[in-house]
Amino acid sequence: ASTAAAQTTSTTSEPAVSASKGQAYPTKPVRVIVPQSAGGSTDLVARAVTQKLSDVFNQSIVVDNRPGAGSLNGTDMVAKAAPDGYTLLAVAASFTINPSLQKNLPFDPIRDFAPITQMVALPHVLVVHPSVPVKSVNELIALAKAKPGQLNYGSSGIATSTHLAAELFRHMTGTDMVNIPYKGGAPGVVALLGGQVQLYFATISTALPHIQAGKLRALGVTSSRRSVAAPQFPTIAESGVPGYHHTSWVGMLAPAKTPQPVVARLNAEAVKVLHSQNVKTLLLRDGLEAVGDSPKEFAAIIKTEVAKWQNLVKAAGIKAD
């Protein structure tokens, strides 16, 4: 599939697209690189959106999975691709975390890309094992302060979204808890269910069945507003940590210098797809909240998050695994 996709994205020179020709795009197949394996959230979102875009554009849109080097390989391919709108990137929030951890990134996340839209937001939920004697965020903070270094939190690996959600919490609450990294989200949740760790910042879709079965206790969601997927849970910010906010996301970008009319057309059509009821419902089944913001709004999020994670990684002394 990758070879076929590569063939559709020949490096033939494309004429610059003027404003008057913006509506003519695309005139040939488009490739969307997903720098992660098939089956994950980024891949799921990319396929849900591109399938509909393909119908709108009446052109095939090929999703090309290029995992490797913590998503850097596929991302770098798009940074160096022709800025003509025919090679796009579907990327996760790790895009803004990597600059804090990698000394010699082959690309600049702000300079080398043209944001199109944040497609979805993926809040996490702070869950504890039922044996932990707390029923609120404030009670957890009090327990952690009474027992410094004695509470263990699971994560899906060093510097992953689940790890940084916990580190941000630790940093903002002045608590001392120990990270136990696992090789992925699934083994981390299994460890929590077994009581090997006391708490975890899990994705809502993963945690919800265990919460409903009484095997885990939810204390709060990480987003700044209550989650559409689970509105019954308060936010961590409203539960004792004002200003706390951490949400994973999946967004679409193009190489820098992609003509503005092409970016505008991609944004307009992607936003329509994301706001359609059937796509919203499909995504919500996996705890994914459709966003569909403007290129300017998405650019501001990227810039803010790059700075936020640089500050946290430095303050917490986090090193890449």
Side-chain angles (χ1 to χ4, degrees):
S2 298
T3 308
Q7 286 169 349
T8 63
T9 322
S10 64
T11 52
T12 52
S13 59
E14 283 289 316
V17 180
S18 66
S20 62
K21 290 181 180 175
Q23 292 306 107
Y25 167 87
T27 58
K28 65 178 186 179
V30 176
R31 176 168 62 147
V32 177
I33 289 180
V34 174
Q36 283 103 12
S37 303
S41 296
T42 308
D43 182 67
L44 185 149
V45 174
R47 290 178 190 278
V49 173
T50 56
Q51 189 178 358
K52 297 288 184 184
L53 282 180
S54 182
D55 294 340
V56 173
F57 290 147
N58 199 26
Q59 282 286 352
S60 72
I61 302 181
V62 181
V63 172
D64 185 1
N65 296 90
R66 293 296 182 104
S71 81
L72 300 185
N73 290 351
T75 305
D76 190 42
M77 285 175 70
V78 180
K80 293 175 172 54
D84 54 13
Y86 291 95
T87 305
L88 307 175
L89 178 69
V91 75
S94 57
F95 179 76
T96 58
I97 297 168
N98 283 330
S100 311
L101 299 165
Q102 309 289 340
K103 286 183 181 174
N104 300 304
L105 264 192
F107 55 82
D108 184 299
I110 295 168
R111 184 193 63 219
D112 294 335
F113 295 90
I116 295 166
T117 189
Q118 182 185 338
M119 294 188 283
V120 301
L122 178 59
H124 291 67
V125 58
L126 168 54
V127 283
V128 296
H129 188 270
S131 64
V132 181
V134 301
K135 290 187 177 175
S136 70
V137 168
N138 275 330
E139 287 180 7
L140 176 66
I141 294 167
L143 179 66
K145 287 188 173 178
K147 297 184 173 183
Q150 292 181 49
L151 289 181
N152 295 333
Y153 67 88
S155 74
S156 55
I158 299 291
T160 57
S161 194
T162 53
H163 179 204
L164 293 181
E167 280 297 318
L168 185 63
F169 181 84
R170 217 171 63 76
H171 184 65
M172 292 182 73
T173 57
T175 50
D176 178 14
M177 299 183 287
V178 180
N179 176 32
I180 309 295
Y182 293 89
K183 290 183 177 177
V189 172
V190 168
L192 179 65
L193 290 166
Q196 282 92 39
V197 294
Q198 283 77 54
L199 61 142
Y200 195 92
F201 284 78
T203 57
I204 289 174
S205 58
T206 302
L208 207 50
H210 303 301
I211 295 166
Q212 290 165 340
K215 293 176 181 177
L216 295 176
R217 186 182 300 131
L219 302 185
V221 292
T222 62
S223 45
S224 53
R225 292 193 300 267
R226 291 199 179 202
S227 165
V228 179
Q232 68 271 37
F233 304 134
T235 66
I236 289 171
E238 74 182 84
S239 305
V241 193
Y244 181 92
H245 168 75
H246 171 65
T247 305
S248 292
W249 48 260
V250 177
M252 183 182 284
L253 302 102
K257 299 181 181 173
T258 297
Q260 196 277 332
V262 170
V263 171
R265 176 104 206 270
L266 282 163
N267 173 267
E269 299 302 347
V271 168
K272 279 183 204 167
V273 167
L274 288 160
H275 289 175
S276 67
Q277 198 53 53
N278 59 346
V279 170
K280 271 186 178 178
T281 305
L282 173 73
L283 294 170
L284 210 51
R285 282 185 213 146
D286 287 280
L288 301 159
E289 300 175 14
V291 178
D293 56 4
S294 71
K296 191 175 178 182
E297 287 167 330
F298 188 29
I301 288 168
I302 291 169
K303 196 172 180 181
T304 301
E305 289 206 353
V306 167
K308 170 182 166 180
W309 296 128
Q310 279 174 338
N311 292 336
L312 181 68
V313 165
K314 189 176 179 181
I318 300 167
K319 298 278 191 288
D321 199 6

